[in-house]
Amino acid sequence: MRYNPKAKLDRSQVQVRRGGGRSGGGFGLPVGGGGGNGLKVGGGIGGLVILLLVFLLQSQLGGSPSAGPVGTGEETGSLDNCRTGADANQDRNCALVADVNSIQAFWAEALPDQTGTPYRRATTTIFTGQTNTGCGGATSDVGPFYCSVDEGVFLDTSFFEDMLQGQLGAQGGPFSEAYVLAHEYGHHLQNILGTMGQVRTQQGANSDAVRLELQADCYAGVWTKFATEAPDESGEPYILDLTEQDIAAALDAARAVGDDRIQKRSSGRVDPDRWTHGSAEQRMGWFTRGMETGSIEACDTFRAARL
């Protein structure tokens, strides 16, 4: 995977927050009528589903969600050195900026072209340890997530080594990280299109929650098909080339975050009734479907008779 040295990066689409330490590992999620200090979820069922799925994933991996709120005191960092694709080839955070720019440049054209719905930009926030969001406080233990209240993606980059490559055993690499971002922006598309409002069931192999996640994988595949074409404002593509090895890394990451793989690694048994994201085979399959078709319509998991 090579970024185009001539491409101009738009740093305004990404912010960095630093200065927060961990607050006990994980976050609390009050579900139902209870009160208390945990993660306040807003924005309807969509925001609830996205963050509940993260909570369930962390639980499967043996994490210890805390009920305490995340503290304040964050400071916004700088991406001033991220100016061009050449910087993205040298610096990890700049690479994430390039990925976000490419993903959003693609959907800004593809979403209205394919659906007639205009695209709205979403900000990605890179944080360290913990952060506050419109959906409540979260720590790095939750992994990357999308908050529908903020219409933003949040991630601590330690996820890629500590969880994706560490606990989940993925091979990692730059394009596996791009896949994770593209998946989260798939949730942003679902928010724009109103798909989140279709979610009624939160667990199970054929649940709406699984269909939501597989659709986000499919959307990530759609972007992947055109990733080397998405341009900056001057028409220069952000990404020059993707190799078979890059695609293999993305598929490996999709495989690693399959519910069956996670359950097998954490408890030694697979329970489809508790699935929230889909199996490894399903996640790879829907990513591939999006990549092969390049079509939003082909990603309609909610109408699929078989996932």
Side-chain angles (χ1 to χ4, degrees):
M1 178 181 186
R2 286 187 303 141
Y3 298 98
N4 181 4
K6 297 179 181 178
K8 299 295 189 293
L9 302 186
D10 181 358
R11 300 188 300 269
S12 70
Q13 297 181 31
V14 181
Q15 62 175 322
V16 178
R17 296 179 184 174
R18 304 189 186 281
R22 292 178 179 267
S23 66
F27 58 90
L29 179 62
V31 178
N37 293 319
L39 183 66
K40 180 181 179 183
V41 178
I45 187 67
L48 173 62
V49 170
I50 296 302
L51 290 166
L52 178 58
L53 298 186
V54 173
F55 176 81
L56 291 171
L57 173 62
Q58 180 64 20
S59 297
Q60 288 174 354
L61 289 171
S64 56
S66 70
V70 173
T72 56
E74 292 175 325
E75 297 179 0
T76 303
S78 173
L79 293 168
D80 288 346
N81 63 317
C82 300
R83 297 182 175 85
T84 69
D87 300 317
N89 284 322
Q90 300 296 323
D91 182 273
R92 181 187 201 174
N93 281 351
C94 297
L96 294 177
V97 173
D99 293 337
V100 170
N101 289 169
S102 175
I103 292 165
Q104 300 213 91
F106 169 69
W107 287 121
E109 294 187 6
L111 188 63
D113 285 350
Q114 294 193 31
T115 70
T117 303
Y119 180 77
R120 300 191 299 268
R121 278 189 179 181
T123 299
T124 290
T125 299
I126 302 172
F127 67 93
T128 302
Q130 61 186 35
T131 192
N132 290 310
T133 78
C135 297
T139 74
S140 57
D141 292 325
V142 306
F145 65 94
Y146 173 75
C147 174
S148 61
V149 178
D150 294 329
E151 291 201 341
V153 175
F154 296 82
L155 76 153
D156 185 326
T157 56
S158 65
F159 164 82
F160 296 118
E161 288 88 10
D162 296 348
M163 185 171 288
L164 188 61
Q165 293 177 253
Q167 293 190 49
L168 300 179
Q171 68 186 48
F175 200 67
S176 68
E177 299 180 9
Y179 152 73
V180 170
L181 275 172
H183 173 94
E184 297 306 329
Y185 273 90
H187 289 311
H188 182 51
L189 292 188
Q190 292 167 331
N191 189 31
I192 293 173
L193 293 170
T195 315
M196 289 181 177
Q198 300 181 38
V199 175
R200 297 293 182 271
T201 53
Q202 283 81 44
Q203 288 191 71
N206 291 304
S207 66
D208 295 339
V210 166
R211 292 175 187 273
L212 196 77
E213 293 298 327
L214 295 180
Q215 186 177 65
D217 280 330
C218 189
Y219 289 160
V222 173
W223 165 71
T224 298
K225 179 178 179 65
F226 300 104
T228 57
E229 301 176 22
D232 67 7
E233 291 186 354
S234 65
E236 290 285 348
Y238 289 102
I239 299 173
L240 285 180
D241 61 58
L242 292 177
T243 66
E244 291 184 3
Q245 184 176 354
D246 293 323
I247 302 302
L251 287 168
D252 181 68
R255 179 192 299 113
V257 293
D259 282 320
D260 52 340
R261 282 284 299 268
I262 292 172
Q263 289 177 339
K264 194 70 178 291
R265 289 177 71 91
S266 63
S267 67
R269 61 185 295 268
V270 176
D271 181 5
D273 290 338
R274 290 177 54 83
W275 287 4
T276 59
H277 287 63
S279 69
E281 181 180 358
Q282 289 171 329
R283 301 202 68 166
M284 290 188 295
W286 281 97
F287 174 83
T288 301
R289 181 182 178 92
M291 186 171 58
E292 290 177 346
T293 65
S295 166
I296 291 176
E297 184 178 0
C299 294
D300 192 351
T301 55
F302 285 85
R303 292 187 180 181
R306 181 183 178 188
L307 295 176

